[in-house]
Amino acid sequence: MKLTLIAVGHKMPDWIDAGYKEFSKRMPRDFPLQLLELKPDKRGSGKTAQQVMVDEAERILAAIPQDARVMALDEHGANWTTMQLASKMKSWQIDGRETVFIIGGTDGLDPSVKKRADQLLQLSAMTLPHGMVRVILAEQLYRAVSIINNHPYHRE
């Protein structure tokens, strides 16, 4: 089952890139993790935050494979435990559909992206830098796969 992380933002600090790459390369072959970065709109172009989100939404929606399961990261989304994520991923593996996780831009996700999502998911009730969300999400996906595979990375 392919996992894709669509993230608005590029040119992340080296430590973000290194953290994300570390966990993505640990993913087993049956759960490959791919990052698709989308360039954010320039904020000083006279556009409102809403216009920026709409433009970003068009690019996000165009990047989603047609039959993919979509998980949009949102502060108001479901707050799953790692065990719940592992359980969901195990059931997703059965249908084999690609699963896409979406991290929006600075202003968040346009309602059209949230509407397309199968699930809104929260990583934390706290506000996190978008680059750090990549690292945390990649680690949690690796941890969930470790649980599925009875690997000792996760301890209860």
Side-chain angles (χ1 to χ4, degrees):
M1 179 182 82
K2 184 177 177 185
L3 303 170
T4 300
L5 173 53
I6 298 175
V8 176
H10 69 303
K11 297 182 183 177
M12 292 290 126
D14 290 343
W15 66 271
I16 295 286
D17 288 337
Y20 172 82
K21 286 177 186 171
E22 176 62 30
F23 290 107
S24 67
K25 76 179 181 185
R26 291 184 187 189
M27 296 294 284
R29 288 183 188 182
D30 53 337
F31 284 99
L33 177 60
Q34 163 191 329
L35 173 63
L36 175 59
E37 292 181 311
L38 301 179
K39 188 175 179 179
D41 275 8
K42 291 186 178 184
R43 309 220 59 215
S45 60
K47 293 182 181 179
T48 66
Q50 185 60 40
Q51 289 169 323
V52 168
M53 286 193 305
V54 167
D55 289 348
E56 290 173 350
E58 289 176 10
R59 293 196 312 278
I60 291 168
L61 293 170
I64 299 170
Q66 186 174 4
D67 294 326
R69 175 181 300 102
V70 177
M71 310 297 291
L73 275 60
D74 183 79
E75 63 187 336
H76 303 293
N79 189 2
W80 293 348
T81 65
T82 305
M83 295 300 287
Q84 288 171 309
L85 175 61
S87 176
K88 295 283 187 183
M89 289 177 68
K90 191 171 186 175
S91 68
W92 297 342
Q93 192 176 22
I94 294 168
D95 73 19
R97 286 172 50 206
E98 181 174 352
T99 300
V100 174
F101 293 85
I102 300 173
I103 301 171
T106 304
D107 297 303
L109 290 171
D110 183 73
S112 64
V113 176
K114 293 179 186 183
K115 184 177 178 183
R116 168 61 179 89
D118 295 285
Q119 177 77 53
L120 298 180
L121 185 61
Q122 169 193 136
L123 285 185
S124 172
M126 296 181 180
T127 302
L128 301 171
H130 289 217
M132 190 174 286
V133 169
R134 294 179 189 193
V135 178
I136 294 169
L137 180 59
E139 190 280 336
Q140 286 298 294
L141 292 170
Y142 173 70
R143 185 177 294 272
V145 169
S146 297
I147 291 167
I148 292 167
N149 293 329
N150 295 312
H151 186 277
Y153 180 77
H154 179 78
R155 293 171 184 80
E156 288 259 313

